[in-house]
């Protein structure tokens, strides 16, 4: 069981590293887009993904150093996992609050906005998920998705659609994570959903940069 848990953790960390790299790339593209357009929303989006990527890399480093290297058994390891999980959860909620600000509807729609803005054990899943933080993240992301739907309904632009798809997959990722306490296999599915969300943002920002 120890070997299976470590193997699962390593696979989870690989997903997290890939997601962190994509989030960092999105940060770079969002910053470039902000420098080109001067839109405050792109600045908020860039900051949100920067916070998200820092949290991801922090979780990978903390989990690898303290858990995989020294083992995952014992009370001290459980405490370390809990601290890393809570710190990561808080960083994600901070990022999602920035996304909530970034996707808030404008008081008036400008033409520029339309063009530019666009079987592992249950124990492991329990250690990697903080239910209270997941519920809070889901509530914030529901607000983000609703605002993204409103923005897309108002502009009907392909960039707004990319944003909507990206946040939808992030919300789906957290919904899947919330189910891991009863179905641990949902955890890796949530990671895949998160990757799809990040890729949607990356495509949106890449196309925005090419067309600017």
């Amino acid at each position: 069981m120890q070997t299976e848990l470590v193997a699962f953790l390593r696979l989870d960390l690989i997903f997290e590293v890939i997601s962190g790299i994509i989030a960092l790339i999105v940060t770079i593209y969002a910053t470039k887009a902000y420098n080109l357009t001067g839109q405050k929303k792109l600045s908020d989006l860039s900051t949100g993904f920067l916070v998200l990527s820092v949290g991801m890399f922090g979780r990978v480093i903390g989990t690898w150093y303290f858990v995989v290297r020294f083992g995952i058994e014992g009370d001290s390891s459980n405490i370390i996992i809990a601290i890393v999980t809570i710190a990561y959860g808080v960083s994600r909620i901070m990022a999602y609050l920035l996304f909530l600000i970034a996707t808030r509807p404008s008081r008036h729609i400008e033409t520029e906005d339309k063009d530019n803005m666009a079987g592992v054990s249950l124990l492991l899943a329990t250690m990697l998920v903080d239910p209270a933080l997941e519920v809070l993240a889901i509530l914030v992301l529901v607000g983000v998705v609703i605002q993204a739907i409103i923005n897309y309904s108002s502009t009907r632009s392909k960039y707004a659609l990319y944003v909507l798809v990206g946040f939808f997959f992030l919300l789906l990722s957290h919904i899947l994570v919330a189910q891991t306490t009863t179905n641990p296999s949902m955890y890796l599915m949530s990671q895949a959903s998160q990757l799809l969300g990040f890729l949607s943002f990356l495509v949106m920002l890449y196309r925005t940069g090419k067309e600017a």
Side-chain angles (χ1 to χ4, degrees):
M1 181 61 68
Q2 175 83 2
T3 303
E4 291 179 356
L5 293 178
V6 172
F8 185 92
L9 270 176
R10 285 175 175 168
L11 183 60
D12 172 47
L13 295 183
I14 289 173
F15 271 109
E16 199 78 337
V17 167
I18 295 173
S19 296
I21 292 173
I22 293 176
L24 195 56
I25 294 173
V26 171
T27 300
I28 294 171
Y29 272 100
T31 301
K32 289 181 177 179
Y34 169 69
N35 291 334
L36 287 172
T37 65
Q39 292 188 40
K40 181 63 167 59
K41 291 182 178 182
L42 287 172
S43 176
D44 295 332
L45 190 68
S46 172
T47 304
F49 272 101
L50 179 61
V51 171
L52 203 56
S53 64
V54 169
M56 288 175 173
F57 288 124
R59 176 177 176 260
V60 169
I61 294 171
T63 303
W64 177 261
Y65 185 80
F66 291 108
V67 179
V68 176
R69 183 176 177 181
F70 297 109
I72 58 176
E73 293 183 345
D75 293 337
S76 59
S77 294
N78 291 335
I79 292 173
I80 292 171
I81 292 176
I83 292 173
V84 171
T85 299
I86 291 172
Y88 177 47
V90 170
S91 70
R92 284 190 301 180
I93 291 170
M94 289 173 59
Y96 296 156
L97 288 173
L98 287 169
F99 295 157
L100 191 64
I101 295 172
T103 58
R104 67 190 184 280
S106 301
R107 292 183 179 179
H108 59 289
I109 300 171
E110 301 176 356
T111 303
E112 183 182 8
D113 291 332
K114 295 181 180 179
D115 294 334
N116 295 322
M117 179 51 198
V120 184
S121 71
L122 180 62
L123 174 62
L124 179 62
T126 303
M127 288 190 297
L128 295 176
V129 177
D130 187 294
L133 290 176
E134 290 303 324
V135 170
L136 182 56
I138 288 172
L139 291 176
V140 174
L141 275 174
V142 166
V144 174
V145 170
I146 290 174
Q147 290 189 167
I149 292 173
I150 294 173
N151 288 341
Y152 175 67
S153 299
S154 301
T155 64
R156 294 291 179 179
S157 73
K158 56 187 175 183
Y159 302 110
L161 180 59
Y162 285 131
V163 171
L164 173 58
V165 171
F167 283 126
F168 170 78
F169 277 111
L170 286 181
L171 174 59
L172 179 61
S173 170
H174 283 276
I175 292 174
L176 292 172
V177 166
Q179 299 180 50
T180 56
T181 52
T182 56
N183 187 356
S185 63
M186 290 291 186
Y187 190 81
L188 292 182
M189 291 178 62
S190 74
Q191 295 286 66
S193 178
Q194 178 177 263
L195 279 175
L196 289 174
F198 288 170
L199 287 173
S200 179
F201 284 109
L202 188 58
V203 171
M204 181 271 290
L205 291 168
Y206 174 74
R207 296 191 63 175
T208 300
K210 287 191 65 176
E211 297 179 11

